[in-house]
Each structure stands twice: as structure tokens, then as C-alpha cells.
Amino acid sequence: MTAEKAAGGTGGDEGVREALSLREQAMDEAPVGIVITDPDRPDNPITYVNEGFVRLTGYAREEILGRNCRFLQGERTDPEPVERMRASIEAGESVTVELLNYRRDGDPFWNRVTIAPLFDGGEVTNFVGIQQDVTERKRRERELEREREFVEQGLDVLDDVFYVIGTDRRLRRWNERLPEVTGYTDDEIAEMDALEFVPVDEQELISQSIEDVLAGEPETVESALLTADGDRIPYEFTGSRLTDPDGELIGVVGIGREVAERTRHRTVLESLHEIATTIQTAESVDAVCERTVDAAADVLEFDLCSLLLCEDEWLVPRATSADAPTGGSRPMRLDQGLAGKTFQSGESYLVDEVTPDGDADPAKECYRSGFSVPVGDSGVFQAASTETSAFDAQDVEFAELLVSHTANAIERLEREAALERQNDRLEEFASIVSHDLRNPLNVAAGRLELAREACDDDNLEDVARAHDRMEALIDDLLALAREGRSVLETEPVDVAATVADCWCHVETAEASLEVETERSIEADPSRFQRLLENLVRNAVEHGGPDVAVTVGDLEDGIYVEDDGPGIPAEKREAVFETGYSEFRDGTGFGLGIVERICEAHGWNVAVTDGDDGGARFELTGLEFADGERER
């Protein structure tokens, strides 16, 4: 039925208008950006834009209309998808691309754009463009790719042999260590049966072990690894059953380790694990560097080593081993020698022999070999020797493990220092606000009392109420500043006990409270109490004097719910904005403070519908106290 027929009689035009209005409203409420362009006008300008596009880009409607969509492009926008869109528009065809665009404030975002032609009698009259922010998906894809590369790199630097044997006993995957140990090329390995890597007299044992693993029984077996030259190297092989995400059997995944190296490897790892705590608890960057170099010398036996950190345009030694000669380490430019190469690339490098035309630029001419390992983004760890080929891949692996703790410790100290500076600035701001606003307010309050004694004027009551509101605004403004400080220390806080205490400090009239949690969480007690007080006060103020408030458990947090009128979906983001209030006397800071406290703890807060139609505030990402489990 057409809109005109649905309207009936002479009201047909009105029905059509209502249908068009409803359609435009639906487009405006769509969770994606929508534009319509006119290819018959110069530069194919935008003639319609919905609210989703406005929210997505940050541009006002009047800044968008009349422009070509290319105004969202920027310096890092790939021209290839842009060219695909242009070609599709010229051909009157649909196209979907993903490209980097920029919001009005300059922030980049990944935009999934679909362009489709609109026809009238076979002629293209307009194009519709649909934009969707896919930045988060792109971020996850990049993280997965980096994780995959990290795993690949980690497998290749192992001193152990990593392998995947298929159900046909052929190798499907291996790391670089296998060809290094056996002397076979990758192409040769790809054509070999797994049993060809062990002596004939041990093939039956290995064959049975593979069958046991495929049947679901993990195995550890000792056997010789047979090289291409016929040498037998004692090895220990550990295997487990490997399946794909659908549960289909792939084969056996395992590790082969030289038996002679096993004891040392385990001892070193245990020692590094113990040292990690010492490094992580250091209270200064210098202490972190000193403990790292001492561990490298004592545990890893790197007698000539140093740790250099980036300072301006230089890599500066912050710790050097005790046995290093005088001048055994020196400042290096960020592009100088092996240290500079390591710092700029973020990769480790092993030099078996220092040569005049090589990358190494040793501090001493007597250094004949060495390696360099990045310390996160902070600097470089280096070890040297007066002999050639003094280090191997396992030495580099151990050093990388050691300095990973160093990088974490340095990052922690820098982060804490930055947070401390931020907290100091917030405290300074809060003190200025307290002093510069309260003093004149106190003077005004005093003058008001004198005026009241001199005359009885209803206007003075309005002034008094204004003073009270200013006082409340100052209190909430100070809270907003202070509660946004990052939480550095937490302690177990009993949720039920805190809620009960909050209930006593808030005017709750005839309201009722039901607590359905027995959990304790890790939090700053005073800030968590203020958060709950604000949520309880909000429920009573908006739900009415007899509102019922419930506090209960979520899988990874808690909720505070009431049975009041609730919060419409379109207002749920706005309620957390500072200054937003539907009450004339409200400061509009209460829920903003709730959000700040959550952010300071690393939590998330969201509002949704309660079970009885009221408002439900959900706090998620909470850490439960020791002994608690997520439910």
C-alpha cells in the first residue's frame, strides 16, 4: 500500500510527508553515517547528511553539505581505495572500501565506506554513501598480526627445536633451529618423514610415541637426533596432540631439547625468575639498570656488559659490569654502531666477529664479538667478549628475557612519575579553586548575613540559595578534579558494607535498599564510597522518595539499579557529561564524578534498563579481592 493510500482521501499528501519524515528520522537514528550526493552538480557534492555522519566526523551539518566527501581525507589516507571509489562512481557501480579518514579535530579513524548508485528509469540520479567506524576492528587485527609475528620470532630464536608433525608423519612446521642442528635445508626437511631424523634402532620407539600422542597421551621421550652428516645428538622430545579450532586432528606439536643443555637452561630460567622480582621492585631507574647488569654478569656470565638508555639524541651508559675495563662503554649517538641499529630497529643483533666494515663500533679495540638487545623503547643492553664467536642464540634469548623485566620496570617507574606529576597538577588546581573561589564566597556570605540583619527582603533568600548552589558546585568541581587522579594503590573493600555506609550518609526519604552481593573488590575505599553515594543519591533524586534501590553482582563487576522512571536511551551518554542535569538545582557533576572514579580505577561504567524499568548502572572490569572468583 502506498503512503498516499494509507493516508486516505485528501490527506494523501500529508501521509506521504509523514512517511518521508519517518524515513528521514530512521536514517538520522541509524548507527552509521549516511550521505547522499548529486553527481549532476559540480564535484558531486553532499546534499543530505544524517546525524550518524555528524557524530562520526565531528563536523556540523552546515560544514558538510555542499562538499565532496574527500574533505575527510588526510596525509595518511591511502590513495588506492580513493581511486577505487572514484572509478566506481564514474562507472555508476557499487563499491566498498576501508580507508583512513580524519575527524574535524584531526583524530584519524578507519572508515568502512560503501557507495551505491541510486537510479531513476535506468539513469543514475544520486549516490548514497554509508560510513562505519571500524577503528577498533583494525586495532584488533593489528594486534593479532603483531602477536603472530611475535610468536614467529619467538619460535625462531629458541635454542630448542620446535616442530609440528602431521598425521602422515611429515613435518608441517618447524623453526630455524631444526635446519641449524641437522644440516638439512628447509626444502629437504619438507620432503622427509619424521623417523628419518632418528637412528634406525630408535625409530620403533619414536613411531610408537607419535601414535600415543595422536591418541591423546602427551609423551616425553629421549632419543638421538640424527644429522645430515650422520652424527647422533642426545635429545629429549616432548609432544602433544594438536587440533584445529574445529577439533579436527592436525598432528603432533612438540619441542626437542639437547639433554646436555637442559639442566643449565632450567637453572638459568629459575635464576632469572628470581631476579625478575628484584628488578621489578627497584625504586629508581639507576637501580633497575645496576641490578640488570649484575644479573647478566652473575647468572648469564656476561663479564663485559653494559646497559645504555636514550637521553635526548644519545644512548648513555647507566650501568656497566664490574669486570669491564675503564672506558668499556661510552655514549653513542642514536644512529651509531650496533647500539644505534638495535635501538632504531627494536631488534637484537649477534656479531660473531667484529670487522672494520661491520655495523659494530666497539668502545674497545680488544672486543672481538658481542650482541645487542633492545630494552623496550628505552635503550639497549650490550655484551662483548675479547674472543670471536663467544655468544650464541641462546645467550641472546636469555638476555632478551632478562631485559624484558628491565623494560617493564623502567616503564613502571616512568608511568608512576608521570602519574605523580599529573596528580600534583590536579592537587594544585584543586587548591587554587578552593582558595580563590571559597574566599570571595565566604565574604559574600558574611555580607548577606549583615544584609539580613538590616532588612527583611525576599530577594536575600534567593541570594542565599545561590550561595548554597555555588558551594555545591565548588564541592563537586573539586571532587571532579581529585577523583580523576589515577589510582596507584588499592585495598580490599567490602561492597555490601560500603553500600550500607553510603545509605546512612544520603537523604533517602522512604526509599528502600536491597544488597545482593557478598563480594570484596580492589579499590580506593574513599573514592569507591563517593562513587556509590553519588549513584544512590542519583537514584533517590530521580526515582522518587519511595524508590527501591538494588545492588547486585555482574560477571566481572556490580550494578546499582532502581525501579524509577529510568533514563531514555538517547540520554544515556549525556548523563555522564559534566554540567548535565535535568533539575534546576542540580550541579550536573554527580555522574561525571562517577565516571571519573571508574576511569581512575580502570573500570567501565554504563547505564541501561533495570529489571523493573528503572535505571541500572553497571560497573565492569573490577578486580576482586584475593579468594574471590568471577561469577
Side-chain angles (χ1 to χ4, degrees):
M1 180 181 293
T2 65
E4 182 175 355
K5 290 182 179 179
T10 58
D13 290 343
E14 181 180 350
V16 171
R17 286 195 298 271
E18 289 178 356
L20 291 174
S21 175
L22 181 60
R23 188 173 304 169
E24 183 171 347
Q25 181 181 352
M27 291 176 65
D28 266 342
E29 295 296 330
V32 295
I34 300 175
V35 297
I36 295 177
T37 66
D38 186 350
D40 292 333
R41 294 169 58 182
D43 206 25
N44 193 16
I46 298 171
T47 57
Y48 167 81
V49 59
N50 76 335
E51 284 298 320
F53 188 87
V54 172
R55 290 191 300 269
L56 176 66
T57 64
Y59 286 91
R61 191 181 297 267
E62 56 271 18
E63 295 177 296
I64 300 169
L65 294 174
R67 302 174 70 178
N68 186 282
C69 282
R70 75 173 67 91
F71 75 91
L72 295 178
Q73 299 171 22
E75 59 180 359
R76 289 165 50 202
T77 301
D78 188 348
E80 190 275 332
V82 175
E83 175 60 25
R84 286 172 55 197
M85 289 191 294
R86 185 196 62 77
S88 296
I89 290 173
E90 288 184 356
E93 299 173 346
S94 299
V95 66
T96 298
V97 300
E98 292 182 359
L99 72 166
L100 194 68
N101 279 163
Y102 293 82
R103 308 185 203 278
R104 190 180 190 279
D105 59 8
D107 284 346
F109 70 99
W110 280 99
N111 195 2
R112 180 178 175 85
V113 181
T114 297
I115 298 174
L118 301 178
F119 294 93
D120 184 7
E123 295 292 329
V124 176
T125 59
N126 298 93
F127 283 93
V128 61
I130 300 175
Q131 289 83 11
Q132 184 179 6
D133 188 345
V134 294
T135 305
E136 182 62 21
R137 175 173 63 77
K138 284 284 190 179
R139 182 190 65 79
R140 291 196 300 269
E141 289 175 353
R142 287 196 300 270
E143 288 180 351
L144 288 173
E145 179 61 22
R146 285 195 295 266
E147 183 176 343
R148 186 192 65 78
E149 292 174 354
F150 176 77
V151 171
E152 293 281 352
Q153 182 182 2
L155 291 176
D156 282 336
V157 301
L158 283 177
D159 197 40
D160 298 328
V161 172
F162 168 82
Y163 54 85
V164 175
I165 302 173
T167 55
D168 58 357
R169 292 197 316 204
R170 292 189 179 277
L171 271 78
R172 298 182 55 177
R173 182 80 178 277
W174 57 91
N175 66 347
E176 293 180 359
R177 186 61 176 162
L178 183 59
E180 289 175 1
V181 173
T182 63
Y184 291 108
T185 66
D186 286 329
D187 290 339
E188 290 172 330
I189 293 173
E191 298 298 326
M192 295 173 65
D193 186 288
L195 296 184
E196 296 181 61
F197 291 95
V198 296
V200 173
D201 59 329
E202 294 183 346
Q203 287 184 359
E204 183 177 350
L205 170 65
I206 298 301
S207 178
Q208 184 59 51
S209 295
I210 292 174
E211 294 301 321
D212 291 342
V213 172
L214 291 175
E217 300 178 12
E219 282 279 327
T220 298
V221 61
E222 291 191 8
S223 172
L225 181 64
L226 198 62
T227 70
D229 295 332
D231 295 331
R232 297 165 65 114
I233 306 174
Y235 255 74
E236 178 187 80
F237 298 98
T238 300
S240 297
R241 192 171 187 266
L242 181 65
T243 60
D244 64 17
D246 296 326
E248 293 295 324
L249 180 62
I250 294 176
V252 176
V253 59
I255 290 288
R257 176 171 296 170
E258 267 193 87
V259 175
E261 289 293 317
R262 183 174 57 195
T263 301
R264 176 178 180 269
H265 193 275
R266 182 174 62 250
T267 301
V268 170
L269 290 180
E270 290 174 352
S271 298
L272 291 180
H273 179 71
E274 294 175 0
I275 291 168
T277 302
T278 302
I279 294 175
Q280 293 285 5
T281 56
E283 296 183 357
S284 70
V285 173
D286 284 334
V288 169
C289 296
E290 292 286 352
R291 294 177 185 182
T292 300
V293 168
D294 289 345
D298 296 341
V299 177
L300 304 180
E301 300 178 353
F302 300 155
D303 297 329
L304 309 177
C305 62
S306 61
L307 199 153
L308 303 86
L309 296 184
C310 178
E311 297 180 12
D312 297 325
E313 298 299 317
W314 292 85
L315 289 168
V316 180
R318 296 292 288 269
T320 303
S321 56
D323 291 339
T326 302
S329 182
R330 71 183 192 276
M332 308 278 282
R333 297 187 307 275
L334 296 184
D335 60 352
Q336 182 180 356
L338 199 63
K341 183 178 180 180
T342 300
F343 180 76
Q344 293 186 341
S345 68
E347 298 179 2
S348 301
Y349 294 97
L350 175 64
V351 177
D352 289 327
E353 183 174 2
V354 176
T355 59
D357 57 349
D359 293 322
D361 184 9
K364 290 290 185 180
E365 292 185 1
C366 62
Y367 291 166
R368 306 310 307 149
S369 64
F371 67 86
S372 187
V373 173
V375 183
D377 297 327
S378 302
V380 174
F381 172 86
Q382 292 191 300
S385 174
T386 56
E387 300 178 359
T388 60
S389 302
F391 305 100
D392 58 21
Q394 187 174 78
D395 291 322
V396 177
E397 175 193 348
F398 285 147
E400 289 175 334
L401 178 59
L402 172 63
V403 302
S404 67
H405 301 300
T406 306
N408 290 337
I410 293 175
E411 182 181 352
R412 173 184 61 81
L413 290 169
E414 291 176 345
R415 183 171 62 251
E416 290 178 356
L419 289 174
E420 188 64 29
R421 290 192 297 270
Q422 179 185 7
N423 290 344
D424 289 343
R425 289 194 296 269
L426 287 170
E427 285 292 346
E428 181 182 5
F429 167 75
S431 298
I432 292 173
V433 170
S434 179
H435 180 272
D436 291 355
L437 292 184
R438 289 191 189 278
N439 284 351
L441 183 60
N442 290 336
V443 172
R447 297 285 184 172
L448 176 61
E449 290 302 318
L450 293 176
R452 280 176 162 174
E453 294 175 3
C455 66
D456 183 12
D457 189 338
D458 290 341
N459 290 326
L460 296 181
E461 292 301 321
D462 293 336
V463 175
R465 283 192 294 272
H467 284 178
D468 292 341
R469 176 167 170 74
M470 290 172 66
E471 185 74 28
L473 284 168
I474 292 172
D475 288 341
D476 280 352
L477 181 60
L478 293 175
L480 198 65
R482 288 169 173 159
E483 303 301 0
R485 295 175 299 171
S486 296
V487 174
L488 298 179
E489 295 183 2
T490 63
E491 61 184 73
V493 179
D494 186 295
V495 175
T498 306
V499 172
D501 194 34
C502 293
W503 195 257
C504 297
H505 290 83
V506 176
E507 295 183 8
T508 54
E510 300 299 323
S512 62
L513 172 68
E514 184 174 355
V515 180
E516 300 176 350
T517 180
E518 298 178 356
R519 285 178 169 176
S520 292
I521 64 170
E522 291 291 338
D524 180 309
S526 62
R527 285 202 253 182
F528 181 58
Q529 179 164 342
R530 186 177 187 94
L531 178 152
L532 289 177
E533 285 180 358
N534 283 11
L535 289 179
V536 169
R537 185 178 293 108
N538 182 78
V540 174
E541 289 178 350
H542 293 79
D546 59 348
V547 69
V549 180
T550 303
V551 180
D553 289 333
L554 297 172
E555 182 178 353
D556 61 341
I558 62 173
Y559 67 84
V560 179
E561 176 180 313
D562 63 65
D563 63 352
I567 301 175
E570 65 272 13
K571 295 182 179 181
R572 290 174 184 171
E573 292 186 11
V575 297
F576 293 107
E577 297 176 0
T578 54
Y580 178 88
S581 176
E582 294 186 347
F583 293 103
R584 179 180 179 183
D585 295 331
T587 64
F589 288 151
L591 293 181
I593 293 173
V594 168
E595 186 176 50
R596 289 289 182 89
I597 295 174
C598 287
E599 290 174 350
H601 283 83
W603 304 339
N604 297 313
V605 59
V607 59
T608 185
D609 291 326
D611 291 340
D612 296 323
R616 175 178 173 133
F617 289 85
E618 297 184 344
L619 311 181
T620 55
L622 279 63
E623 179 182 353
F624 304 119
D626 291 344
E628 293 279 341
R629 290 183 176 273
E630 292 186 4
R631 303 179 184 180

